[in-house]
């Protein structure tokens, strides 16, 4: 799915970000119910005039640890079935839309608790 | 008898200006448009386009700019027959798995960050990120099972820039990232970053 979300982070020049506080989309997965926040994204287009970025959000089957060694480290995982994955993906996409739909940018910043983009003066 | 003489009034002598495309009424001395504006030249006009008789020859050419890659330099340990490193990452903190510095010439750069990894805990909170010149351009899902995690992104870069393969902890507690190498033989870590640029000139 394609989304446009606000940006956070800090510029250190007109085109470069601070590696300790990189320019990035706000962590909107914080707005989602647990279990619906597991997805990848990549930036498609940055709009630094409006402090927005358009993302492509993608999903892939996730795994749960089911066996552990003596130290408690996982040694085997159970992957989602196709049906489980498709159900989670559909529910997650719906949750993302509900979390962002008709929300003002300031409201999204406030709900995620993230700062607005810092630009050089 | 009074004779009336008519003296024709000459139209004003004007010159064309390269600053605008207005041609005012008046007289002009013979010239060529390319003399008026030297930018009217074949090299400035797209190949296949002809302007005022000047046939364009300009075309953009894509060329390789720069390629660089770096494998994770973190020391590996052995656990049984497994080579790996285990790194605790505090909440809302980053761990840089690998980074590369390279000089680009106004290029569109593609970056890839990879890590063969899993999270030691059962909480879903670690994500792999690709940082290009201080901009997070892509992020993985939660590292919730052992597999080759890969993220890919693009950014226009110019000059000496740093790109990073990074892991971020979104959780509320410290979490361990376990990055694997090969199961026997010389130890190395299966994680790193690669970037490659294309420039158009």
């Amino acid at each position: 799915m394609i989304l446009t979300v606000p940006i956070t982070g800090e510029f250190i020049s007109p085109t470069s970000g601070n590696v300790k506080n990189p320019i990035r989309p706000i962590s909107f997965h914080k707005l989602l119910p647990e279990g619906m926040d597991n997805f990848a994204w990549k930036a498609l287009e940055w709009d630094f005039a409006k402090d927005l970025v358009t993302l492509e959000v993608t999903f892939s089957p996730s795994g749960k640890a089911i066996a552990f060694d003596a130290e408690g480290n996982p040694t085997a995982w159970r992957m989602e079935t196709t049906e489980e994955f498709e159900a989670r993906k559909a529910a997650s996409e719906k949750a993302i839309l509900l979390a962002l739909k008709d929300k003002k940018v300031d409201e999204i910043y406030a709900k995620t608790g993230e700062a607005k983009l810092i630009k050089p003066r | 008898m009074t004779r009336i003489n008519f003296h024709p009034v000459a139209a004003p002598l004007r010159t064309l200006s390269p600053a605008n495309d207005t041609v005012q009424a008046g007289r002009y001395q013979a010239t060529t448009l390319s003399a008026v504006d030297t930018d009217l030249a074949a090299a400035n006009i797209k190949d296949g386009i002809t302007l005022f008789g000047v046939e364009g020859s300009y075309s953009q050419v894509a060329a390789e700019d720069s390629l660089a890659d770096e494998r994770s330099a973190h020391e590996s340990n052995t656990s049984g027959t497994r080579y790996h490193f285990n790194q605790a990452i505090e909440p809302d903190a980053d761990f840089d798995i690998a980074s590369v510095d390279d000089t680009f010439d106004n290029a569109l750069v593609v970056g890839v960050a990879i890590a063969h990894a899993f999270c030691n805990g059962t909480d879903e909170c670690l994500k792999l990120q690709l940082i290009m010149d201080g901009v997070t351009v892509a992020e993985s899902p939660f590292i919730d099972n052992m597999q080759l995690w890969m993220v890919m992104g693009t950014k226009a870069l110019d000059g000496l820039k740093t790109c990073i393969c990074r892991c971020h902890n979104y959780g509320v507690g410290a979490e361990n990232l376990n990055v694997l190498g090969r199961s026997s033989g010389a130890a190395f870590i299966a994680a790193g970053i690669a970037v490659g640029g294309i420039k158009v000139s």
Side-chain angles (χ1 to χ4, degrees), chain B residues 150-173:
Chain B
M150 178 171 68
V151 291
M152 185 173 179
T154 60
K155 191 174 189 304
L157 298 178
D158 190 29
L160 177 62
K161 302 297 180 186
T162 300
C163 297
I164 302 169
C165 171
R166 170 176 287 177
C167 185
H168 183 82
N169 182 358
Y170 284 103
V172 294

Side-chain angles (χ1 to χ4, degrees), chain A residues 10 15-25 27 29-30 35 37-43 46 48 58 60-65 68-69 71-75 77 79, chain B residues 79 82 86 92 94 118-122 124 127 129 131 133-147 149 151-155 161-162 164 166 170 178:
Chain A
E10 179 182 8
T15 58
S16 301
N18 181 350
V19 293
K20 294 180 180 175
N21 184 17
I23 309 300
R24 61 195 185 278
S27 302
H29 68 262
K30 294 176 181 174
D37 54 354
N38 192 5
F39 50 81
W41 59 260
K42 60 184 171 191
W46 300 88
F48 294 127
T58 56
S60 56
S62 68
K64 293 284 183 189
F68 301 86
D69 64 15
E71 298 170 345
N73 299 319
T75 55
W77 293 262
M79 300 302 293
Chain B
S79 173
R82 198 165 62 193
N86 191 305
D92 202 28
D94 300 314
F118 67 90
C119 176
N120 272 47
T122 54
E124 296 178 345
K127 285 190 167 195
Q129 298 176 327
I131 318 288
D133 189 26
V135 178
T136 308
V137 297
E139 186 176 84
S140 76
F142 290 120
I143 299 174
D144 57 9
N145 64 89
M146 184 173 70
Q147 62 169 282
W149 299 92
V151 291
M152 185 173 179
T154 60
K155 191 174 189 304
K161 302 297 180 186
T162 300
I164 302 169
R166 170 176 287 177
Y170 284 103
N178 203 321

